[in-house]
Amino acid sequence: MDNELFMNTELPPPSEMAMHFEQPSSSSAMLNWGLMDPNLARNSPPQDCFMWEKSTEQQQSIFDSALSSLVSSPTPSTSNFSGGGGDGFIIRELIGKLGNIGNTSGDIYGAPMNGNVSRSASCYATPMSSPPPMMNRTAPLTEFSGDPGFAERAAKFSCFGSRSFNGRTNSGIPVNNGKIVNSGKLTRVSSTPALKALASPEFASASRPMIPAGDSPPKLPGEFSRKRKSVSKGKSKDNPLPAASPSPSFSKTAERKEVSEEKGGKRRREDEGEEEEGNKGGNDTKPPEPPKDYIHVRARRGQATDSHSLAERVRREKIGERMKLLQDLVPGCNKVTGKALMLDEIINYVQSLQRQVEFLSMKLSSVNDTRLEFNVDALVSKDAMISSSGSRVHESGLQLESLSHHNYNNNSQLHTNVSSNNMMLHSPMKSLEPSALARGFTHLPTLTQFTDTISQYQMFSEEDLQSIVGMGVAHNPNHESQSQNMKIEL
Amino acid sequence: MERQIINKKKRVFSVEPNKIPPSEVFTRKYTRLLVPALKKLNMNKNSSQANQLTVKHEVDMALALSAQEFAWSRFLLQKLSSSNNPTTTTSSSSNGIRIQKRSGKEGGDEDGEIEEKLRELQKLLPGGEEMNVEEMLGEIGNYIKCLELQTIALKSIVEDTT
């Protein structure tokens, strides 16, 4: 019964079957075992599919027979599983059978498998809430390569599949890591969906023998340093994988890239898309282990996964975000596209502002020479009104005019709605001025030459404020003209 | 007027302490810092030859003190306090000449161009060169805001006194 599972279909041998089934099957989520083999789907309910890596025929046959029995048996029950313990049962069964296979085939699945079975079985005890965890669980079972380290990997994947395992990874990883390191490659697949939900670096490291603790360097063919990102672009995958730098700041999930690499180009876009979604959910779970706060970034498809380039990309994106914020701040930046032009605009704007300040200070110095007395309070109140009504220099002209009108009209209506920005009226000003003053002065912990002057103004009384307001009102007609002037000056 | 204020010494606390928009807070702080300082300058000045620079100094000082929650204000204070030489204060005019010309050397390397401009921006911001680029971009945002408010305040002061 060589390849009996495959005989039913015209599909090529398993190595070329890079099919991707990400289907979330109708009924049991657990059967979304990562990459489902279409062949198996034919034999059993569509969900039971396994990814078959190219391995020796003999092993394959063994696997096939075992799997077929495995697959067929639990199918009627699995179809009813809606999650939770169902998967655990199936997986335990499968793992058990895997253990048997190992025993029968000899060295492949030895004691470690059995040892891992219990561990993995315990891993699945956690209830599954969403498809990604389901797929995580299926991870171990999907790969039946002839690798001697398969048992460890399977167990590891299974363990990592469950999020609850996060707490147990510490114990689990070291044991498995050592073994997994020896194994050649971590295979595929199912790991992709499985590992996508793994938000902790330990998973990644475990899957690819890299531990955030800085364990043994990855021995996988082409370490994929992966950073978790929010969006994965559906580009053509596969980027050259540099030897993974054991930087613990990257959460490496071997799956995606590894599989793609091994598969030789057949990658599941949907898988990755799913992965990303699952990843987003998975990223919310805070891995309990790493006390270090690393920024987990997922590499995008078609982009270099070099640690440096990833860091560079993160940095560039941060800069891009800040630039967008600046765009709103600087007038005229909206029309400009591109970082360079925007930066130009910003630079020019800052320079113009600085020049304006310089010019005004010169003017002030000249005024200061001639003018003998300052109407401080009036200035203060007026400035407060001005600032509240329009803080943008380029908008100040228009805003001040409109708001000054508005202020006068709604003098009686507006209350102490201080939060409303441009509605600073006289009545609220009365109550808020002293508080603001008091608060404002508390903000100045270190005053050099202003301490003496400020202390004078620290306490305002109601009567004084009323007088200020009165003066402010009296100055309002001037205020309008000044706003006009301001506009012109601008 | 000041005497009256001192005599009264009545304190009023606000009901909602955090509702005042920061722009207002800044402007108030600024004017209340600057105007008395200017007054002081005015009163104290006899024949200060460097009056312009002193005023500029006071202006910058007021700016720095009004925006103490920002990193650049610290740098500005350092600059101002370390050397009372007014030439060390933000002199935008010198920078202005240099930045207008766009360096054609970096034409091919777009990222290099951007880096170049970021560096220019860093020079504009007080203390910008000591920060990394991301931090600097954030600080530039509130620096611009404070500059705007400062401009408004200065304008109103100038207008009021003329």
Side-chain angles (χ1 to χ4, degrees), chain A residues 364-382:
Chain A
L364 196 54
S365 71
S366 71
V367 164
N368 211 3
D369 293 343
T370 59
R371 189 118 160 95
L372 295 181
E373 47 101 359
F374 278 109
N375 201 347
V376 178
D377 304 319
L379 280 177
V380 162
S381 61
K382 198 185 351 158

Side-chain angles (χ1 to χ4, degrees), chain A residues 46-332:
Chain A
Q47 300 88 3
D48 298 335
C49 295
F50 293 101
M51 262 314 273
W52 294 94
E53 191 185 19
K54 191 62 176 154
S55 62
T56 67
E57 254 196 32
Q58 178 203 5
Q59 288 172 341
Q60 207 171 46
S61 62
I62 295 174
F63 297 153
D64 290 352
S65 53
L67 279 174
S68 61
S69 62
L70 281 176
V71 166
S72 48
S73 55
T75 44
S77 49
T78 57
S79 58
N80 299 333
F81 289 153
S82 58
D87 345 345
F89 159 77
I90 295 174
I91 292 185
R92 267 178 245 125
E93 226 187 298
L94 287 166
I95 292 175
K97 302 238 176 152
L98 282 177
N100 294 338
I101 295 172
N103 291 337
T104 57
S105 63
D107 312 337
I108 298 181
Y109 307 106
M113 188 58 192
N114 296 333
N116 291 339
V117 169
S118 59
R119 208 179 294 121
S120 55
S122 63
C123 295
Y124 293 110
T126 61
M128 292 190 295
S129 54
S130 58
M134 305 280 190
M135 293 196 271
N136 296 338
R137 300 209 189 124
T138 63
L141 302 172
T142 56
E143 280 303 332
F144 293 107
S145 64
D147 292 348
F150 173 71
E152 295 88 5
R153 282 193 307 238
K156 192 177 268 288
F157 285 142
S158 70
C159 289
F160 289 6
S162 66
R163 289 182 192 181
S164 65
F165 186 70
N166 282 338
R168 284 170 280 184
T169 47
N170 285 332
S171 59
I173 292 178
V175 176
N176 291 334
N177 260 342
K179 294 169 192 168
I180 286 193
V181 172
N182 298 334
S183 73
K185 15 195 208 168
L186 275 187
T187 50
R188 19 196 137 168
V189 167
S190 50
S191 7
T192 45
L195 293 176
K196 97 167 114 166
L198 300 178
S200 63
E202 68 233 11
F203 289 157
S205 59
S207 60
R208 237 193 307 127
M210 292 253 327
I211 306 183
D215 239 5
S216 57
K219 306 233 169 63
L220 298 175
E223 278 298 321
F224 296 88
S225 67
R226 244 178 234 202
K227 284 186 169 185
R228 283 184 196 279
K229 274 237 161 172
S230 53
V231 181
S232 71
K233 306 207 170 145
K235 299 183 193 172
S236 64
K237 60 159 183 148
D238 266 342
N239 306 311
L241 307 169
S245 58
S247 153
S249 62
F250 299 146
S251 70
K252 302 176 186 182
T253 56
E255 335 50 14
R256 208 167 16 159
K257 300 280 179 171
E258 286 182 59
V259 181
S260 57
E261 194 186 30
E262 288 170 359
K263 286 304 185 147
K266 302 183 189 178
R267 205 57 260 139
R268 303 91 201 267
R269 306 249 169 122
E270 300 87 351
D271 230 4
E272 292 191 7
E274 246 185 303
E275 277 183 44
E276 281 310 325
E277 294 164 13
N279 215 1
K280 283 175 195 166
N283 279 333
D284 297 337
T285 64
K286 188 83 175 123
E289 181 188 345
K292 33 209 168 177
D293 48 345
Y294 293 109
I295 298 172
H296 300 303
V297 180
R298 178 177 283 271
R300 297 197 188 133
R301 274 179 78 146
Q303 294 188 350
T305 52
D306 181 18
S307 65
H308 295 296
S309 58
L310 279 171
E312 186 67 28
R313 200 177 316 135
V314 169
R315 183 176 157 271
R316 253 185 255 130
E317 290 192 1
K318 272 196 202 160
I319 291 179
E321 284 175 26
R322 304 265 170 107
M323 303 261 306
K324 284 198 188 110
L325 291 175
L326 282 179
Q327 217 177 12
D328 301 331
L329 210 52
V330 174

